[in-house]
Amino acid sequence: MNDKSKIASGLEGVVAGRTSICKIDSDQCELFYGGYSINDLALNSSFEEVAYLLLHGELPDKKSLEDFCSELANEREIPAELINIIKELPSGTDPMDVLKIAVGILHTSDPDGTSNTNDANMRKAIRLIAKIPTIITYDYRIANDMEPIKPDARLSSASNFLYMLNGEEPESYKSDVLDKSLILYAEHGLNASTFTARVVASTLSDLHSAVMAAIGALKGPLHGGANERVMEMLLEIGDVEKVEPWIKQALSEKKLIMGFGHRVYKKQDPRGIIIKEIVKELGERLGNNKWFEMSQKMEDIVTAEKGLHPNLDFYSSSAYYLLGIPISLYTPIFVVSRITGWIAHVTEQYNDNRLIRPRSEYVGHEKREYVPIEDR
Ligand code: ACO
C-alpha cells in the first residue's frame, strides 16, 4: 500500500471477500482445496474427484464419483451448430478466442438459460466442464485439416483429451501426467481470471458470461498465457549451454522471464515443486532430459540472480511438450482445469452476493471549461 495515494497497486494484499474453496499459505508454501493438501490430492486423487470437491465442498463417495464421472462423460459431445461455427472461423483464430466464442454459443442453447439457481448452475457446470476439451480438440483438428475425433465415454477426462487430440488411447502414465497437472491447475483463490469471473457474477449475470470473461483474463501472458511463452522461450534458447548467457542477457535488459515469480508466493510455489518432479520422471521415462536440464539450469540462475522461483506454468510447459501436446493448446488446457475453480467461485458469489465495485483515485485534470471544437 502506498501511503501517499492510498491505493493498492494491482490490488496487492487486498482481501476482497471470504471463501471456503481454497486456502493459500504462502509462508509455508502450502495450498489446500477444501482443506485437502494439494500434495495429497496430486498423489492420490483424480481430476474428476477434485472437480467434485470444488463444486460440492466435499470429496465424493464411490457412488457419487461414479455418477459424476458418467454425467461428465455423457455431456462431452458438442452441438452440430457449434462444430459448423468452429469450421467457419477465420484460419489462425487463437484457440482461447475459440473457447470464448464457443462458450457464448453454448449459452444460447443451454436448457437452463440464464437461471442462476444452484441446481441450474450445477447442470451448466457439468455441461461446460465436459465440453471444453471437445471444443479444444475439435478446433485443433479442424484447423489442421484433420477429422475431429468423437469423445470416448469410457475414458477419464485426461485420457479422453489425449485420445481426441491424437486419435489413439494414451498410455496410462501419459494420461496420469495430464491428470495431475489438471489437479494442480484447478483452483487458486482470487487469481486474476477467478476474480474476473466473480466480478461478472456479482452483477447477477449468468455463469457462461462469467466463464467467457475469465477465459479472456486467463489468456494474458502474465497469467495463463505464460505456459505457452515458457515453451517458446525454451525452444528459442535451444540448448542447455545457451541458458546462462540467454538469461543473463534477458535480465540485463529487464525482460520478464516467463514462468517465474508469483503475486502470492514469494518463496516457492507448492504446485511448481510437484510438477517439477513429474517432469523429471517423465523425461527419464521417455529418455529425454533436455527440457528438464535446461529448466533446472534456468531455475538455478533466476533464483540466484533475482530471488524468483518457478511458478506452476514453468515446468508444466515441458510436461506438455514431452506429452506431444501442441504449444497453442497449453493455455486452453489451463481452462479445461481452472473452469472448475471458476464455477465454484461463481456459485459462492451468487450465494452471498454483493456487487463488486471498487473506487479509483482520480489523478486527471481538475474541472476545466469546455471549448467548442472550432476554437481548439
Ligand atoms: N522475470 C523477471 N523479473 C520479474 C519476474 C519475472 N518473471 N517476475 C517479477 N519480476 C520482478 C519485477 O519486475 C519486480 O522488479 P522491480 O522490483 O525491479 O520492479 C520484482 O520482481 C517484483 O515483482 P512484482 O512486479 O511485484 O510481481 P507481481 O506480483 O506484480 O507479478 C507476476 C507477478 C505477474 C506473476 C510476475 O512475476 C510475472 O510477470 N511473471 C512472469 C509471467 C508468469 O510466469 N505468469 C504466470 C503466473 S502463475 C499462473 O498464472 C499459474
Side-chain angles (χ1 to χ4, degrees), residues 222-223 226 255-261 263 266 308 311 313:
L222 297 190
H223 191 10
K255 281 192 182 153
L256 276 183
I257 313 295
M258 288 304 181
F260 284 87
R263 173 60 62 79
K266 296 304 173 194
L308 293 166
N311 55 50
D313 280 337

Side-chain angles (χ1 to χ4, degrees), residues 100-169:
K100 264 186 290 175
I101 293 163
V103 171
I105 299 295
L106 287 176
H107 178 56
T108 63
S109 59
D110 194 286
D112 285 296
T114 51
S115 170
N116 277 342
T117 66
N118 273 339
D119 287 350
N121 280 327
M122 280 304 119
R123 290 190 293 271
K124 291 184 200 178
I126 299 276
R127 293 180 201 119
L128 277 169
I129 295 167
K131 290 183 196 326
I132 292 284
T134 314
I135 297 162
I136 296 169
T137 50
Y138 272 41
D139 171 56
Y140 178 77
R141 291 186 67 91
I142 289 167
N144 288 280
D145 298 322
M146 293 183 278
E147 270 301 304
I149 292 167
K150 280 183 181 288
D152 184 336
R154 294 173 306 124
L155 301 177
S156 70
S157 299
S159 288
N160 179 59
F161 180 86
L162 293 172
Y163 167 70
M164 287 193 296
L165 184 62
N166 300 318
E168 55 187 47
E169 241 181 82

Side-chain angles (χ1 to χ4, degrees), residues 12 60 69 78-79 130 216 219 245 281 306 324 332 376:
E12 181 169 8
C69 289
I78 56 175
K219 182 183 171 192
E281 280 172 26
K306 291 283 292 183
R376 279 176 227 157

Side-chain angles (χ1 to χ4, degrees), residues 282-337:
L282 181 63
E284 280 164 6
R285 181 155 193 168
L286 292 168
N288 180 358
N289 292 325
K290 173 177 176 169
W291 307 109
F292 181 79
E293 282 171 13
M294 284 179 70
S295 304
Q296 178 67 69
K297 178 119 194 186
M298 200 176 267
E299 179 182 345
D300 292 343
I301 299 168
V302 176
T303 306
E305 299 267 325
K306 291 283 292 183
L308 293 166
H309 296 276
N311 55 50
L312 173 57
D313 280 337
F314 187 62
Y315 284 97
S316 303
S317 308
S318 297
Y320 295 160
Y321 197 76
L322 288 168
L323 291 177
I325 297 172
I327 296 173
S328 62
L329 303 191
Y330 295 6
T331 314
I333 291 174
F334 200 152
V335 178
V336 169
S337 167

Side-chain angles (χ1 to χ4, degrees), residues 44-239:
N44 303 305
S45 189
S46 64
F47 170 64
E48 287 83 350
E49 192 175 51
V50 164
Y52 186 100
L53 169 66
L54 293 173
L55 297 181
H56 298 281
E58 296 296 338
L59 285 172
D61 59 23
K62 203 162 182 289
K63 168 85 171 57
S64 306
L65 182 60
E66 280 167 11
D67 291 348
F68 184 68
C69 289
S70 58
E71 282 173 42
L72 282 175
N74 292 333
E75 285 289 352
R76 284 179 182 151
E77 296 220 12
I78 56 175
E81 316 84 76
L82 176 53
I83 300 173
N84 288 335
I85 288 168
I86 292 173
K87 285 182 179 161
E88 293 300 320
L89 289 172
S91 73
T93 303
D94 187 298
M96 291 293 279
D97 293 330
V98 175
L99 277 179
K100 264 186 290 175
I101 293 163
V103 171
I105 299 295
L106 287 176
H107 178 56
T108 63
S109 59
D110 194 286
D112 285 296
T114 51
S115 170
N116 277 342
T117 66
N118 273 339
D119 287 350
N121 280 327
M122 280 304 119
R123 290 190 293 271
K124 291 184 200 178
I126 299 276
R127 293 180 201 119
L128 277 169
I129 295 167
K131 290 183 196 326
I132 292 284
T134 314
I135 297 162
I136 296 169
T137 50
Y138 272 41
D139 171 56
Y140 178 77
R141 291 186 67 91
I142 289 167
N144 288 280
D145 298 322
M146 293 183 278
E147 270 301 304
I149 292 167
K150 280 183 181 288
D152 184 336
R154 294 173 306 124
L155 301 177
S156 70
S157 299
S159 288
N160 179 59
F161 180 86
L162 293 172
Y163 167 70
M164 287 193 296
L165 184 62
N166 300 318
E168 55 187 47
E169 241 181 82
E171 292 156 274
S172 62
Y173 75 92
K174 290 187 176 168
S175 58
D176 279 354
V177 169
L178 182 59
D179 188 64
K180 286 190 194 311
S181 90
L182 295 179
I183 293 173
L184 298 176
Y185 268 123
E187 159 60 8
H188 210 219
L190 280 195
N191 58 86
S193 57
T194 303
F195 186 59
T196 301
R198 286 192 83 130
V199 170
V200 175
S202 84
T203 70
L204 297 184
S205 186
D206 54 87
L207 177 65
H208 287 74
S209 297
V211 169
M212 287 167 75
I215 293 170
L218 189 75
K219 182 183 171 192
L222 297 190
H223 191 10
N227 58 9
E228 297 181 12
R229 296 342 188 266
V230 169
M231 201 61 229
E232 286 160 3
M233 174 179 68
L234 288 170
L235 288 167
E236 185 191 320
I237 299 170
D239 189 90

